[in-house]
Amino acid sequence: MNSLELLAHPVRLRIVHAMSAGDSHTTTQLCVRLPDVSKATVYRHVDILASAGVLEVAAEQRVRGAVERSYRLRREAAVIDPEAAAAATPADHRAIFAAAMTALLAEFDTYLDSGHADPVTDLVGYRQHTIWLDPAEAAGLVEDLRAAILPRLRNTPGSGRTQYLLSPVLFPTGGPTAT
């Protein structure tokens, strides 16, 4: 399975999101994090991600006669490689986008159903803006967003920090080009 097929699945994307803080989790802990996904499904997708090298075993311990594994995310393996991205067809892009949006909706539902959701206090945002950009301006916007986001990707869990899911989406709408 190539990286595109591997990561273009909403449950696997959610597992990657859950593991992205850098700490290790057991499959049981991931089931708590993904309450809307069956245990069997979580176990199956953890196995797929581990077999593909996206997750690695961080520790093992005996629990009631069974071996319980803790997994850690291998960030460098949790990306769609450039070759797969370059070879992606329009149907592949639709599948990737659908998986990402499905994962985003599921994560948002989990947040709202958590019992402690406060969208105003938590600075939840889901605005959409239509902007006109020439190719250089679009490239500049992407570079500005990367400059703002990349340093924060290195943040680790700590006192007062809450994990957020940020999903920038940018694509041309096919509107007319101004002359």
Side-chain angles (χ1 to χ4, degrees), residues 71-82:
Y71 295 92
R72 180 177 30 247
L73 179 68
R74 295 184 56 239
R75 278 188 182 274
E76 71 280 0
V79 295
I80 295 175
D81 60 73

Side-chain angles (χ1 to χ4, degrees), residues 2-8 13 75-86 88 96:
N2 71 31
S3 62
L4 189 142
E5 294 168 326
L6 181 67
L7 296 172
L13 276 177
R75 278 188 182 274
E76 71 280 0
V79 295
I80 295 175
D81 60 73
E83 296 81 23
I96 296 164

Side-chain angles (χ1 to χ4, degrees), residues 156-162:
T156 57
S159 179
R161 282 195 172 148
T162 298

Side-chain angles (χ1 to χ4, degrees), residues 5-173:
E5 294 168 326
L6 181 67
L7 296 172
H9 189 283
V11 173
R12 290 193 289 268
L13 276 177
R14 291 181 67 199
I15 291 168
V16 168
H17 292 160
M19 303 293 290
S20 65
D23 45 354
S24 60
H25 295 285
T26 65
T27 308
T28 301
Q29 290 168 326
L30 287 171
C31 288
V32 171
R33 177 76 187 263
L34 308 173
D36 57 313
V37 180
S38 74
K39 285 183 179 186
T41 299
V42 172
Y43 275 83
R44 183 174 66 248
H45 289 290
V46 164
D47 185 56
I48 290 168
L49 289 167
S51 295
V54 173
L55 299 179
E56 65 184 359
V57 176
E60 293 181 335
Q61 68 178 13
R62 284 229 172 259
V63 177
R64 285 178 249 125
V67 175
E68 181 180 61
R69 292 180 180 89
S70 294
Y71 295 92
R72 180 177 30 247
L73 179 68
R74 295 184 56 239
R75 278 188 182 274
E76 71 280 0
V79 295
I80 295 175
D81 60 73
E83 296 81 23
T89 66
D92 293 332
H93 285 286
R94 280 185 189 94
I96 296 164
F97 191 79
M101 293 302 102
T102 300
L104 186 62
L105 286 168
E107 289 289 342
F108 193 64
D109 282 343
T110 299
Y111 161 73
L112 290 175
D113 294 340
S114 69
H116 57 77
D118 185 346
V120 174
T121 301
D122 294 337
L123 302 175
V124 171
Y126 35 80
R127 293 165 189 83
Q128 294 180 344
H129 305 279
T130 301
I131 55 178
W132 290 88
L133 304 168
D134 65 30
E137 291 169 328
L141 175 61
V142 169
E143 193 58 38
D144 291 347
L145 290 170
R146 284 185 182 144
I149 296 168
L150 285 176
R152 289 161 177 87
L153 291 177
R154 290 186 284 274
N155 288 356
T156 57
S159 179
R161 282 195 172 148
T162 298
Q163 186 178 35
Y164 284 80
L165 182 59
L166 177 64
S167 297
V169 175
L170 174 71
F171 60 90
T173 59

